[in-house]
């Protein structure tokens, strides 16, 4: 569903901060010109208002910053870890632009939005020889920025002090001499960086070792690669896109076996220009391309979940909002930046998905088990992207005194000390009746339990036997009893009569 639009031919970047998640930056894109033939560029920050009844056109928050060079790429990073106190407040993070002339511009979005006073441009440094098309901030260390340009040149920028950034390389160049089109930090491992370029080769860098650790390319389709994205859940999976019109494909690679792509996704009819993997649901992947289409894929089964309305010209940029689930943006050469929502998850038509997205799943839950056990699960907090979901087992105690007594009894049963357990209860019991009950229980664990139990209730077996033996026969008074009546014998039967003689 289309929510907002802005009449701009611009590359975009969403704010990565929770308290400013409704802000989106737009920088005039290179290789495009409007009716005015203006050659300068604008950098603006728009506020996306989701209130019902608000205008569809996004409003500029603050002012407009002019730039002599146009943008190939725009990235928005979080607040640097140790920003210098000499610069204005960086509460909104840092905006970085990859420019046509090979320079990297750094801006303070808090100044652009007029939240603080000062100079919007923090610094601008030209370290690359050609256009900067790859740009990405590290999620774990927002003061680290990676950039890629021509001649396979990749640089790492330390923005601890944005006015004078420290720049170094991740290692010796591993790409053939070609244009780097995309760089991306691994969302699970902070020191891993991936890059891809026009040669069709993709390289994974380890910044701790300062060298490339693996490179991969498909020998069957050695075409130019335009975009790259890591799986937000699986650290070893990465997907690359081809902008070649003859092979407009997506290839998923598993670095555990980088000899061949693990999966190939086909759906675009012309080259793919933009790629974004949903940070809130790894089963949703966005792509856009020269066929003016924007598709949402399920990479696990290689199916197209939904398609957004097509534009009149190429779609060159697509981005998920990192902090607003279901919200995404597209940029087109027809001069439009659009913001969509995938809230319609049941239609399967334009703007709707055919499956429930991950952000609608329960973030936490609990279930009781036998014996006072409680099992809970929860997702990691948003500010800890490297953490995994947790499952914990808790023991719930509602009656501490009762639980202590139960544990004491269980220990006595285990150790075979029930007799001592009863003795302790007799000694500590203040109620006479209860103490008497525990005495009965104590007797049951004696050696001669039956005799002792009879003695306890007042029956002495030996004394009773002596009394019985001391009784005399006459004490039984057997003679006073009447004799039983004698039974009379029955009369014999009468003889049969004799027959008469003739």
């Amino acid at each position: 569903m289309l929510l907002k639009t802005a009449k701009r031919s611009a590359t975009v970047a969403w704010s990565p901060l929770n308290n400013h998640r409704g802000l989106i930056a737009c920088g005039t894109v290179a290789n495009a010109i409007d009716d005015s033939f203006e050659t300068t560029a604008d950098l603006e920050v728009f506020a996306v208002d989701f209130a019902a009844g608000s205008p569809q056109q996004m409003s500029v928050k603050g002012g407009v910053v002019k730039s002599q060079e146009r943008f190939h790429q725009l990235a928005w990073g979080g607040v640097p870890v140790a920003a210098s106190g000499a610069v204005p407040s960086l509460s909104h993070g840092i905006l970085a632009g990859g420019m046509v002339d090979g320079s990297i511009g750094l801006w303070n979005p808090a100044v652009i939005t007029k939240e603080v006073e000062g100079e919007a441009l923090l610094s601008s440094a030209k370290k690359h020889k050609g256009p900067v098309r790859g740009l990405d901030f590290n999620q774990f260390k927002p003061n680290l920025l990676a950039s890629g340009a021509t001649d396979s040149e990749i640089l790492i920028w330390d923005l601890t002090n944005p006015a004078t950034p420290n720049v170094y390389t991740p290692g010796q160049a591993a790409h053939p001499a070609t244009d780097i089109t995309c760089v991306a930090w691994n969302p699970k491992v902070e020191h891993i960086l991936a890059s891809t370029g026009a040669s069709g080769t993709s390289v994974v860098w380890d910044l701790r070792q300062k060298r490339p650790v693996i490179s991969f390319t498909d020998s069957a389709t050695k075409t130019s690669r335009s975009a790259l994205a890591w799986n937000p859940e699986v650290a070893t999976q990465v997907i690359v896109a081809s902008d070649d019109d003859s092979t407009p494909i997506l290839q998923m690679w598993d670095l555990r076996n980088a000899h061949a792509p693990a999966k190939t996704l086909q759906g675009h009819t012309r080259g793919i220009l933009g790629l974004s993997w949903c940070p809130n649901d790894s089963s949703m992947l966005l792509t856009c391309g020269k066929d003016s289409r924007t598709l949402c894929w399920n990479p696990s089964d290689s199916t197209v979940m939904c398609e957004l309305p097509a534009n009149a010209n190429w779609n060159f940029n697509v981005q998920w909002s990192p902090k607003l689930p279901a919200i995404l943006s597209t940029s087109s050469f027809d001069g439009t930046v659009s913001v969509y929502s995938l809230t319609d998850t049941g239609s399967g038509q334009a703007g709707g998905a055919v499956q429930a997205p991950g952000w609608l799943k329960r973030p936490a839950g609990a279930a009781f088990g036998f014996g006072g056990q409680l099992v809970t699960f929860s997702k990691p907090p948003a500010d800890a992207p490297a953490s995994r979901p947790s499952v914990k087992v808790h023991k719930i105690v509602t009656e501490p005194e009762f639980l202590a007594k139960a544990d004491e009894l269980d220990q006595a049963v285990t150790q075979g000390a029930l007799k001592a357990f009863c003795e302790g209860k007799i000694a500590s019991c203040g109620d006479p009746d209860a103490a008497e009950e525990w005495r009965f229980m104590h007797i049951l664990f004696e050696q001669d339990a039956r005799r002792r139990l009879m003695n306890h209730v007042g029956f002495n077996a030996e004394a009773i036997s002596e009394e019985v033996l001391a009784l005399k026969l006459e004490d039984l008074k057997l003679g006073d009893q009447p004799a039983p009546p004698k039974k009379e014998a029955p009369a014999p039967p009468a003889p049969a009569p004799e027959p008469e003689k003739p």
Side-chain angles (χ1 to χ4, degrees):
M1 181 176 65
L2 179 64
L3 297 179
K4 302 291 177 181
T5 59
K7 294 299 181 181
R8 301 288 190 279
S9 291
T11 183
V12 305
W14 286 90
S15 170
L17 305 176
N18 275 319
N19 51 343
H20 304 295
R21 58 183 178 270
L23 299 181
I24 182 172
C26 296
T28 306
V29 71
N31 302 327
I33 199 166
D34 56 15
D35 296 339
S36 66
F37 287 86
E38 180 66 41
T39 58
T40 59
D42 296 335
L43 177 60
E44 304 166 283
V45 176
F46 290 87
V48 183
D49 186 3
F50 297 102
S54 60
Q56 191 175 63
Q57 289 292 323
M58 291 186 290
S59 59
V60 178
K61 184 175 177 61
V64 179
V65 176
K66 293 291 184 178
S67 172
Q68 293 300 318
E69 300 294 336
R70 295 203 167 195
F71 295 82
H72 268 300
Q73 193 62 263
L74 193 63
W76 196 330
V79 179
V81 174
S84 171
V87 300
S89 172
L90 295 175
S91 60
H92 288 54
I94 294 179
L95 274 171
M99 317 306 286
V100 174
D101 65 345
S103 63
I104 298 289
L106 303 176
W107 288 269
N108 187 347
V111 176
I112 299 176
T113 58
K114 298 188 181 302
E115 296 288 340
V116 299
E117 298 293 332
E119 184 66 30
L121 181 64
L122 297 171
S123 65
S124 178
K126 188 175 180 179
K127 299 292 184 179
H128 290 286
K129 301 175 183 177
V132 181
R133 291 183 171 87
L135 205 62
D136 192 30
F137 275 98
N138 191 305
Q139 297 181 27
F140 301 92
K141 297 180 179 179
N143 57 308
L144 293 183
L145 173 70
S147 62
T150 57
D151 293 337
S152 302
E153 192 175 34
I154 299 175
L155 296 177
I156 306 298
W157 303 67
D158 187 350
L159 307 181
T160 302
N161 186 355
T164 57
N166 183 24
V167 184
Y168 58 93
T169 64
Q172 187 177 0
H175 288 272
T178 185
D179 291 345
I180 298 298
T181 56
C182 184
V183 293
W185 294 96
N186 191 298
K188 292 293 185 180
V189 186
E190 63 181 43
H191 59 275
I192 297 298
L193 176 73
S195 60
T196 193
S199 66
T201 301
S202 302
V203 180
V204 177
W205 305 80
D206 188 336
L207 266 66
R208 288 183 177 177
Q209 303 181 26
K210 293 187 177 181
R211 67 180 183 88
V213 293
I214 192 172
S215 63
F216 53 92
T217 185
D218 185 9
S219 58
T221 58
K222 290 185 177 180
T223 57
S224 173
R225 303 303 188 217
S226 58
L228 176 147
W230 290 97
N231 189 323
E233 298 294 336
V234 183
T236 59
Q237 287 187 2
V238 63
I239 196 164
V240 293
S242 169
D243 60 359
D244 190 282
D245 290 346
S246 62
T247 54
I249 60 174
L250 298 164
Q251 289 184 331
M252 181 185 294
W253 294 78
D254 193 325
L255 302 184
R256 294 171 295 183
N257 180 11
H259 293 88
K263 193 173 296 184
T264 299
L265 286 69
Q266 294 180 327
H268 285 277
T269 56
R270 298 187 65 187
I272 301 170
L273 300 177
L275 174 67
S276 181
W277 211 322
C278 181
N280 300 298
D281 187 354
S282 61
S283 66
M284 302 187 79
L285 176 76
L286 289 172
T287 60
C288 64
K290 300 176 186 178
D291 54 5
S292 305
R293 301 169 67 196
T294 301
L295 304 180
C296 182
W297 303 76
N298 184 344
S300 60
D301 58 12
S302 306
T303 59
V304 176
M305 297 171 56
C306 63
E307 179 177 354
L308 299 179
N311 291 91
N313 211 323
W314 293 3
N315 292 338
F316 62 89
N317 185 279
V318 62
Q319 297 287 334
W320 287 100
S321 170
K323 299 299 180 182
L324 294 172
I327 302 300
L328 61 101
S329 65
T330 62
S331 300
S332 173
F333 281 124
D334 64 3
T336 304
V337 174
S338 305
V339 176
Y340 291 90
S341 172
L342 291 187
T343 54
D344 181 11
T345 58
S347 65
Q349 302 172 358
V354 295
Q355 70 180 39
W359 55 82
L360 295 182
K361 298 178 181 178
R362 291 186 298 172
F368 279 101
F370 181 76
Q373 302 290 325
L374 177 67
V375 180
T376 63
F377 70 90
S378 62
K379 290 184 177 180
D383 57 352
S387 301
R388 295 183 176 183
S390 62
V391 177
K392 299 180 180 179
V393 178
H394 310 270
K395 192 172 184 64
I396 304 302
V397 179
T398 56
E399 299 287 345
E401 183 179 356
F402 174 78
L403 187 61
K405 293 179 179 179
D407 290 340
E408 184 182 1
L409 176 59
D410 183 69
Q411 186 177 3
V413 172
T414 303
Q415 298 177 355
L418 290 174
K419 183 177 178 181
F421 177 79
C422 295
E423 291 175 354
K425 290 296 182 180
I426 295 171
S428 61
C429 188
D431 185 3
D433 294 335
E436 185 66 21
E437 293 176 358
W438 282 111
R439 290 189 185 94
F440 271 101
M441 296 293 295
H442 179 267
I443 293 173
L444 295 178
F445 301 106
E446 295 285 353
Q447 292 291 336
D448 191 5
R450 183 174 180 180
R451 182 182 61 81
R452 290 179 178 273
L453 186 60
M454 292 178 62
N455 291 341
H456 186 73
V457 296
F459 292 97
N460 190 320
E462 296 178 356
I464 294 175
S465 299
E466 293 178 356
E467 290 182 4
V468 171
L469 293 175
L471 290 176
K472 297 179 180 180
L473 186 60
E474 57 269 16
D475 294 336
L476 297 177
K477 300 180 179 180
L478 296 177
D480 296 342
Q481 303 218 359
K486 294 181 179 181
K487 293 183 180 180
E488 296 182 358
E498 295 181 359
E500 295 181 358
K501 294 180 180 181

